[in-house]
Amino acid sequence: MAVNQCLLDQVAAGYASRFGAPPRHIVSAPGRVNLMGEHTDYNGGLVLPMAIDRAAWIALGPRADRKVRLHSLDFEETASFDLEDLRKGVASWVEYPKGVAWALQSSGLSLRGWDGVAKCDVPMGAGLSSSAAFELATARAFAAASGIEWDAPRMALLCQKAENQWVGVNCGVMDQMISAVGREGHAVLIDCRDLTTQAVAFPPGSVVVMDTATRRDLVDSAYNERRAQCEAAAAFFDVPALRDVEMSAFLTREKEMDPTVRRRARHVITENQRTLGAMEAMKRRDSAEVGRLMNQSHESLRDDFEVSTAQLNAMVDAARRMPGCFGARMTGAGFGGCAVALVRSDVVKAFVEGVSLNYKRGTGLAPKIYICQAANGASLATDESYRTYKTHAPPSNP
Ligand code: GLA
């Protein structure tokens, strides 16, 4: 795997200077961008995300006791907690590792304490799952320090539990799963009901993530409202989740439904179909078809699920106007954050410049644009990749 030597170096050097010894382990876990399958995960449905080449990194060394002391290079702050006595604190970055410790312990795993230094280059709050990346990196750190065998789907579920029950965000399982199981050069089809996965080699083209530079305060309440509407639709069809409703059954009874709930259900049912379609198209290396399905997904999220915004629509329009764009859609929960486009690789540089200019002209906002590569999920760096710190680090403290 192409290791981000820069972040690896920073956490390794940070650890050595703070704790006076080389780190025993270095772990990382990526953020993600979702290519297809939006708001389907909590309906037991299908998603097709990829892990991106931006990640949370932790350099660590085990401690003899059951304390965790973690320094964040992003916040320039050190926090600690005791695995014998985990308590929720005020909202801050340390609640993520603490919540992961709580979830792991509550599943019966026995954890050792460690000292660590963390840094993350997944943009925070942009909808690229920096929190899932931090959670999975922490889980990977606990597994390395405590000699726990790494079981990616199980760890993803425990990190989702931490996010739901400790941090208090009611997300589905997509972000944690892809951060755990991502594969270099591949998108991954995840069945969010049984957590089976299928890696699909990436078709020709570049993935461009376009941050609208807008965030909405009401994301959580709107997200929970959408979840409740989907549950109401499943109850209408008398099934456990919308995943179980076939298009034919929907078409037979849709006129009896509350109009809003009907539109929400139509999005989820058609989005599951598009997700399968996009996977099939990727297998055929048919980027034009993947793009066409991305465009349809955006329309459905905008009109039926109503989670897009004027800025997301402007970004998607700006992208589609550029030559070489196979397709574009909003990605993630919506209400601000990012859009994603699949673009012909030979014109991607001009695409980035053109979209920036057009979006700025249309909205007055300066976007951030990232060309992303599909990366591996949570991993433990090999000794080889930070050999220098093993051989040249200052001597350990007694
Ligand atoms: C957020 C949640 C995910 C998923 C998406 C929408 O990213 O964390 O679980 O529901 O929104 O697809």
Side-chain angles (χ1 to χ4, degrees), residues 32 34 37-42 47 127 129 160 163 169-176 223 227 329 331-334:
R32 64 99 185 94
N34 190 18
E38 218 63 82
H39 290 275
T40 47
D41 61 351
Y42 54 81
V47 294
S129 294
Q160 182 202 14
E163 178 102 28
V169 175
N170 201 18
C171 60
V173 76
M174 168 171 67
D175 308 343
Q176 287 78 13
Y223 186 85
R227 286 188 73 140
R329 60 187 280 275
T331 183

Side-chain angles (χ1 to χ4, degrees), residues 37-40 42 212 214 216 218-227 229-230 263-264 267-268 271 297-313 329-338:
E38 218 63 82
H39 290 275
T40 47
Y42 54 81
T212 58
T214 57
R216 282 281 177 88
L218 296 175
V219 184
D220 282 356
S221 57
Y223 186 85
N224 290 338
E225 185 188 55
R226 296 302 182 284
R227 286 188 73 140
Q229 289 162 337
C230 290
R263 281 184 286 119
R264 306 295 189 249
H267 165 73
V268 174
E271 186 79 351
S297 170
H298 184 76
E299 266 78 80
S300 179
L301 287 158
R302 184 191 64 200
D303 302 335
D304 276 348
F305 218 65
E306 295 179 286
V307 290
S308 191
T309 60
Q311 292 86 358
L312 280 166
N313 296 339
R329 60 187 280 275
M330 55 150 279
T331 183
F335 303 102
C338 293

Side-chain angles (χ1 to χ4, degrees), residues 200-276:
V200 199
F202 220 81
S206 299
V207 172
V208 184
V209 174
M210 303 162 291
D211 187 346
T212 58
T214 57
R215 312 281 182 257
R216 282 281 177 88
D217 292 343
L218 296 175
V219 184
D220 282 356
S221 57
Y223 186 85
N224 290 338
E225 185 188 55
R226 296 302 182 284
R227 286 188 73 140
Q229 289 162 337
C230 290
E231 280 161 24
F236 175 86
F237 287 102
D238 201 19
V239 290
L242 271 178
R243 163 72 177 274
D244 303 303
V245 181
E246 297 289 336
M247 197 52 178
S248 51
F250 174 74
L251 292 173
T252 317
R253 296 199 53 203
E254 62 169 331
K255 291 202 176 64
E256 299 160 46
M257 299 175 80
D258 166 87
T260 305
V261 171
R262 172 182 172 183
R263 281 184 286 119
R264 306 295 189 249
R266 183 165 56 204
H267 165 73
V268 174
I269 297 165
T270 57
E271 186 79 351
N272 276 324
Q273 293 179 335
R274 282 187 289 272
T275 306
L276 277 179

Side-chain angles (χ1 to χ4, degrees), residues 337-356:
C338 293
V340 60
L342 184 61
V343 181
R344 251 179 40 213
S345 299
D346 58 327
V347 295
V348 72
K349 222 172 143 259
F351 175 89
V352 170
E353 280 159 20
V355 170
S356 295

